[in-house]
Amino acid sequence: MIVSLLVYNQSSQALKSEIHRANDTMLRQVRYTIDTQIDLMKRLNMEITWNTKLQDLMYSSKSAGDAQFTAYQLVKELRMYQTSYASIDEFYVTWDQEAAVIRPGNVRDLETAFNTIHNTGVMSYEQWMDTIHHSANNRFLLLPHLDSAKPQTGIAYLIHLPKDLNGKETGTVVVIADIGRFQKAIESISGFSGGQVLILNEENEVLLSNLPVSINQDNLLKHLPDDGGSDVMNMPIRDGDSELFYIQSAVSKLKYVLVIPSSIYWEKAEYVRRFTYISLFISLLGAAVLTWFFMRRNYSPIQQLVQLLTDKNSHEERTDWNELSFIQRSISNTKSEKDKIALQFQIHQNVLRSNMLNRLLKGKMDTLIPYEEAFKSFDMKLLSDDFAVILFVVENGESLSANLPGIDINEKHKLIQFIISNVVEELADHYHHVGYAAEVDDMMVCLVNGGESESSDLKADLEAIASEAQRFLGSYQMDLTLSIGGIHSSLTGIAEAYREAVDAMAYKMVLGKREIITYDEIRRDTTDNQQFGYYYPLQVEQQIINLIKVGDIEQASKFINDVTDRNFNQPIISLTLARCLVFNLVGTMVKAINELGDGDSSILGDNPLWMDTIIACDTLLEMKHELQTLLNKVCAFAAIKLESNVSHERAESLRDLVTKVTTHIEEQYSNSNLSVNLIGEHFDLKGSYLSKLFKNQTGEGVLDYINKYRIEQAKRMMGSKQDSISDIAKLVGYNEAATFIRVFKKYEGITPGKFKEMN
């Protein structure tokens, strides 16, 4: 089939090339014949355009008589052109200045010329005028022609003469050749090819066709370029059931187009097509026979296998008839079911193993099934009778979960457990021990069974395992606190090892997070009666309260740090005593606030959860941080309170001083020696400082107040006594009447005499 298609394709290409060559030759023949006529039309048009008489007539300023004589001479020369160009059926020049047409042998007005040359009933006079004046220059178009044979139409070539010096239109040269002169050339090729021949202008408008232009051919013509300029035969364009060939004119912008029906075009290729069909039919028939043979030979085993799988999976309904696809799907489903069962079994194994370890760590000994048998059933080997427990607590679980987007919270938790389990079990194996990890009470627990080694070696190995696990997991941004219990023999000692590890983990409150805590660090000898910690005497508490009351945060912090250091830097303090110490320090701050006289203040009301926040802390370091934050706020509150009290007392003192000064002035205003310095000496203050304090409180200086009070007293005296101005001046403390008059006018705007006259 492929060979047949290749042969058909090559044969078609060869035939198509021959057809293109034949059509190209015919189109070139048409082009040669018509281009000869077109060249004569263009040559005549050019000779007329450059005729000296025509140039003289159009572009010289002559009188009417001279212009008519020149036109007469031009008519005679046009008659000579008519003899020289016998194949040109009509030519004339429009004379726009005189609204006339110049023809060989006569000059006529425009309308008479139209009736003589073009009035066949197809075009009106107005249409002819519009065509003459507004058509593009160097344009080929169709014009009716009375002297032509049917259909009385000619191909016209128009050239507009250049405008005169005033920019006015001068005229148009029109050369017309009868369509019949072109019909003979296109009929010869159309009769040979059975197609349609068209002559197109540069806008792809049909000037001449041997057949009416159909709609399908109009669609073909749209694919032609607007201008050519090439003398080479173009490739054909196909649209529907027609084939189009075109070639550009050698002497003009005309195009010669040949449209051939596809049935005629492909008639010569019909034999090859039939031969190809027969070859394809034979190929298909042979393929069918071979297919039937091989299916009969090879399909029976597949059918039996499908039947077997269908009987086995009778609940599964077949949705397609592709047997191989059905077999593949059945095998895939079986494999998937097997994987699911294996995965489910593994999950159940892990759950049962975790539950067994959980019970063992909690000391719940199962009497029905010995733990030795349980270890064997879970493929957990035991190397010795020495056991120890390592606890892991992830301190940054929330930040780790945030770094794993797109995963369910439970899956994130399982992933973290999986990583820790694999790392610690691998490390235990590296030190020739075995480790089994499980989750118990939100902590990861690793039960370590020691190898054949001394207890001291196992203890060192446990610390090394914990240290390497913390370092390795820390490189993956996992912050861990680890605790290690003691080493115990036999399975019953596992619960004790777990309890010791839990007790050691509780001491992260004292020792801090991200540490490795061993039970040996926190264990006390019961015979040791030494009391550790809790140094916080009453006198130290009173000193801290006094420092808080004055807002001295630096000294208060120093005292609190000294108390905590003396308690926590000794051998391990009891957790209960540590909590009591922190609560007592908090109580000290509350006492200080109450002694400030504002026990129900907003500083306590706005922070009701201080105690809860401190209790919720996991370590003493976090508690100390919260205590420091609380101390900063309490000291800041105390400082503001103290500053407020001092400012209030100072304001009261200044108001009392101002009252005393004004009373003293009112008592001594008649003393002519009364001054700011004298008043300052009376109150044991500098006069300038006293005046500044007085002005800050009252808005005016002491001297201004003295003068104003004296003037007020003088005004009162002038209204009730008949004393002279000089006498009144002395009574209010002025020795000179001129000084009194000047001061009175400064504050009242008028002299004392005027004031006395007014009152």
Side-chain angles (χ1 to χ4, degrees):
M1 291 174 66
I2 294 174
V3 170
S4 299
L5 291 174
L6 289 174
V7 170
Y8 174 71
N9 181 62
Q10 294 298 321
S11 302
S12 298
Q13 293 296 330
L15 288 171
K16 189 185 295 185
S17 176
E18 292 299 322
I19 295 171
H20 290 176
R21 188 180 305 170
N23 291 326
D24 184 21
T25 303
M26 289 186 288
L27 277 176
R28 289 180 185 274
Q29 181 181 352
V30 171
R31 182 178 68 176
Y32 174 77
T33 304
I34 297 178
D35 278 1
T36 302
Q37 182 67 30
I38 293 298
D39 187 50
L40 288 174
M41 294 173 66
K42 293 183 69 174
R43 192 181 305 167
L44 174 60
N45 201 314
M46 185 64 64
E47 289 188 19
I48 295 173
T49 300
W50 293 102
N51 185 279
T52 56
K53 296 290 189 297
L54 179 64
Q55 296 289 326
D56 187 36
L57 178 65
M58 295 296 178
Y59 302 108
S60 298
S61 299
K62 294 184 177 183
S63 62
D66 291 340
Q68 289 296 331
F69 178 73
T70 303
Y72 172 73
Q73 291 179 322
L74 178 60
V75 166
K76 291 174 63 177
E77 290 192 10
L78 292 181
R79 187 174 293 172
M80 293 173 58
Y81 290 153
Q82 188 176 29
T83 304
S84 301
Y85 293 90
S87 62
I88 304 300
D89 297 289
E90 181 67 54
F91 60 91
Y92 58 84
V93 181
T94 61
W95 186 10
D96 291 351
Q97 183 177 0
E98 297 295 332
V101 171
I102 303 174
R103 297 179 64 203
N106 58 66
V107 178
R108 296 285 187 267
D109 63 273
L110 291 173
E111 190 168 357
T112 302
F114 170 74
N115 292 328
T116 304
I117 303 171
H118 298 295
N119 192 7
T120 63
V122 175
M123 177 184 287
S124 64
Y125 172 74
E126 289 76 13
Q127 291 175 335
W128 173 68
M129 290 296 296
D130 182 72
T131 301
I132 293 299
H133 290 101
H134 298 104
S135 294
N137 203 18
N138 296 328
R139 174 77 181 275
F140 286 92
L141 48 82
L142 294 176
L143 287 178
H145 188 212
L146 278 172
D147 296 336
S148 298
K150 295 286 185 177
Q152 293 186 315
T153 304
I155 295 178
Y157 180 58
L158 277 71
I159 288 184
H160 298 295
L161 296 174
K163 297 179 180 179
D164 60 12
L165 295 177
N166 296 322
K168 293 182 180 181
E169 300 291 340
T170 55
T172 303
V173 179
V174 181
V175 178
I176 303 173
D178 190 3
I179 280 182
R181 298 184 182 277
F182 302 94
Q183 289 282 8
K184 295 178 182 179
I186 65 176
E187 283 176 357
S188 61
I189 183 174
S190 64
F192 175 78
S193 64
Q196 181 178 9
V197 181
L198 303 97
I199 301 177
L200 309 179
N201 61 12
E202 57 186 313
E203 284 82 16
N204 292 337
E205 296 175 351
V206 179
L207 297 178
L208 181 61
S209 173
N210 63 323
L211 296 172
V213 179
S214 64
I215 297 176
N216 190 35
Q217 290 163 353
D218 284 341
N219 292 332
L220 286 172
L221 296 178
K222 292 179 182 177
H223 298 296
L224 292 176
D226 291 336
D227 56 355
S230 174
D231 189 36
V232 180
M233 171 65 189
N234 289 276
M235 294 300 293
I237 301 170
R238 184 171 185 180
D239 186 14
D241 57 355
S242 298
E243 307 285 338
L244 183 144
F245 302 83
Y246 70 96
I247 191 170
Q248 185 73 35
S249 171
V251 298
S252 66
K253 294 184 179 181
L254 295 180
K255 299 183 187 72
Y256 307 114
V257 180
L258 172 61
V259 181
I260 303 175
S262 297
S263 58
I264 300 175
Y265 181 83
W266 289 103
E267 184 177 359
K268 298 177 181 179
E270 189 64 27
Y271 172 76
V272 177
R273 186 179 300 168
R274 288 189 189 132
F275 178 80
T276 304
Y277 288 159
I278 293 171
S279 177
L280 291 174
F281 175 75
I282 294 172
S283 300
L284 288 172
L285 182 60
V289 171
L290 290 174
T291 302
W292 176 83
F293 173 76
F294 284 108
M295 284 182 63
R296 183 174 180 83
R297 177 181 176 183
N298 299 323
Y299 181 67
S300 297
I302 295 176
Q303 189 176 27
Q304 294 174 4
L305 183 57
V306 169
Q307 185 64 38
L308 179 63
L309 292 174
T310 304
D311 294 340
K312 183 179 179 180
N313 303 309
S314 57
H315 62 282
E316 181 180 352
E317 183 181 353
R318 288 185 59 183
T319 57
D320 61 68
W321 295 99
N322 188 332
E323 288 81 0
L324 294 177
S325 176
F326 174 75
I327 294 170
Q328 181 184 11
R329 188 172 66 254
S330 298
I331 295 174
S332 178
N333 291 341
T334 303
K335 187 176 182 300
S336 298
E337 290 178 5
K338 180 182 176 182
D339 293 341
K340 288 180 182 178
I341 292 172
L343 179 62
Q344 198 70 24
F345 179 75
Q346 184 65 37
I347 293 173
H348 289 167
Q349 283 285 94
N350 292 337
V351 171
L352 292 173
R353 173 181 139 170
S354 178
N355 183 60
M356 186 268 291
L357 290 175
N358 200 320
R359 292 174 60 82
L360 186 60
L361 292 168
K362 296 294 182 66
K364 299 177 181 179
M365 302 302 293
D366 196 342
T367 57
L368 297 177
I369 302 176
Y371 278 107
E372 291 81 356
E373 296 296 328
F375 273 90
K376 290 180 180 179
S377 64
F378 291 119
D379 196 22
M380 299 167 62
K381 61 181 179 179
L382 298 177
L383 303 179
S384 68
D385 291 333
D386 293 332
F387 296 93
V389 172
I390 304 176
L391 289 185
F392 298 80
V393 173
V394 180
E395 304 293 353
N396 60 334
E398 293 184 359
S399 61
L400 278 178
S401 298
N403 292 332
L404 298 171
I407 304 178
D408 182 70
I409 185 66
N410 294 325
E411 295 298 326
K412 294 177 182 177
H413 187 63
K414 291 179 182 178
L415 178 60
I416 294 172
Q417 292 178 2
F418 176 78
I419 294 172
I420 295 175
S421 299
N422 279 273
V423 170
V424 70
E425 290 178 2
E426 189 71 24
L427 285 172
D429 182 69
H430 177 72
Y431 284 93
H432 307 292
H433 309 298
V434 290
Y436 304 108
E439 183 186 16
V440 180
D441 298 335
D442 295 330
M443 295 183 293
M444 287 301 297
V445 181
C446 181
L447 175 63
V448 180
N449 178 231
E452 298 296 335
S453 60
E454 298 293 333
S455 296
S456 58
D457 295 336
L458 178 57
K459 180 180 177 182
D461 289 346
L462 290 173
E463 294 180 2
I465 290 170
S467 177
E468 290 191 30
Q470 187 183 51
R471 178 184 56 78
F472 179 78
L473 295 172
S475 63
Y476 292 94
Q477 301 179 351
M478 192 179 295
D479 296 335
L480 295 175
T481 301
L482 295 86
S483 66
I484 305 173
I487 300 172
H488 295 269
S489 299
S490 75
L491 293 174
T492 56
I494 293 176
E496 183 66 19
Y498 172 70
R499 184 190 62 77
E500 292 173 356
V502 171
D503 291 344
M505 182 60 72
Y507 268 82
K508 77 174 180 179
M509 175 182 175
V510 178
L511 301 177
K513 297 179 180 179
R514 294 177 288 278
E515 299 289 342
I516 299 176
I517 308 169
T518 63
Y519 182 72
D520 292 340
E521 290 181 66
I522 66 169
R523 183 174 55 185
R524 288 189 188 178
D525 190 350
T526 56
T527 61
D528 187 3
N529 295 323
Q530 181 181 359
Q531 296 296 323
F532 299 108
Y534 216 93
Y535 165 79
Y536 192 35
L538 292 175
Q539 61 270 24
V540 173
E541 182 183 25
Q542 189 60 48
Q543 286 179 323
I544 293 174
I545 291 174
N546 293 335
L547 291 171
I548 292 174
K549 287 168 62 178
V550 299
D552 191 346
I553 185 173
E554 183 177 351
Q555 287 297 323
S557 298
K558 182 178 179 182
F559 268 84
I560 290 178
N561 289 334
D562 181 62
V563 171
T564 55
D565 290 343
R566 290 189 62 173
N567 283 281
F568 299 151
N569 290 344
Q570 294 182 10
I572 304 299
I573 188 174
S574 166
L575 293 178
T576 304
L577 290 178
R579 292 181 186 273
C580 289
L581 176 61
V582 173
F583 296 154
N584 281 343
L585 289 173
V586 175
T588 299
M589 296 180 197
V590 175
K591 290 176 185 178
I593 294 175
N594 289 330
E595 291 193 16
L596 286 172
D598 199 6
D600 297 329
S601 66
S602 60
I603 191 171
L604 291 176
D606 293 343
N607 300 274
L609 301 178
W610 272 346
M611 191 66 71
D612 294 339
T613 303
I614 294 174
I615 292 173
C617 293
D618 293 331
T619 65
L620 290 176
L621 184 63
E622 293 178 358
M623 288 184 176
K624 287 178 66 176
H625 176 74
E626 293 294 333
L627 278 173
Q628 186 63 40
T629 302
L630 177 59
L631 178 65
N632 292 341
K633 293 183 178 180
V634 172
C635 287
F637 171 76
I640 294 172
K641 182 76 175 178
L642 181 63
E643 184 179 356
S644 175
N645 291 337
V646 171
S647 299
H648 180 73
E649 291 175 1
R650 178 177 175 81
E652 290 292 333
S653 176
L654 289 176
R655 283 196 293 270
D656 183 59
L657 176 64
V658 169
T659 302
K660 290 179 180 179
V661 170
T662 55
T663 302
H664 182 74
I665 291 172
E666 291 170 0
E667 291 174 354
Q668 300 293 325
Y669 77 93
S670 60
N671 184 1
S672 60
N673 295 323
L674 184 66
S675 65
V676 175
N677 291 329
L678 186 64
I679 297 173
E681 291 176 1
H682 179 76
F683 290 99
D684 296 327
L685 295 171
K686 288 185 66 175
S688 58
Y689 181 66
L690 176 66
S691 180
K692 181 179 179 181
L693 293 177
F694 189 89
K695 188 172 184 179
N696 289 338
Q697 289 292 315
T698 63
E700 62 182 356
V702 175
L703 184 61
D704 283 337
Y705 185 82
I706 294 172
N707 288 331
K708 284 184 178 181
Y709 189 80
R710 284 174 171 175
I711 296 302
E712 288 297 323
Q713 297 302 316
K715 287 164 59 180
R716 183 178 59 79
M717 292 178 184
M718 283 187 285
S720 59
K721 293 183 179 183
Q722 299 300 320
D723 296 338
S724 65
I725 298 299
S726 299
D727 294 336
I728 292 174
K730 291 179 180 180
L731 289 174
V732 295
Y734 293 104
N735 292 327
E736 299 292 335
T739 303
F740 171 68
I741 293 171
R742 178 174 54 79
V743 173
F744 191 95
K745 187 174 182 181
K746 174 184 176 182
Y747 289 100
E748 297 297 324
I750 58 176
T751 62
K754 288 286 185 181
F755 181 83
K756 193 171 183 180
E757 290 177 3
M758 292 171 57
N759 292 275

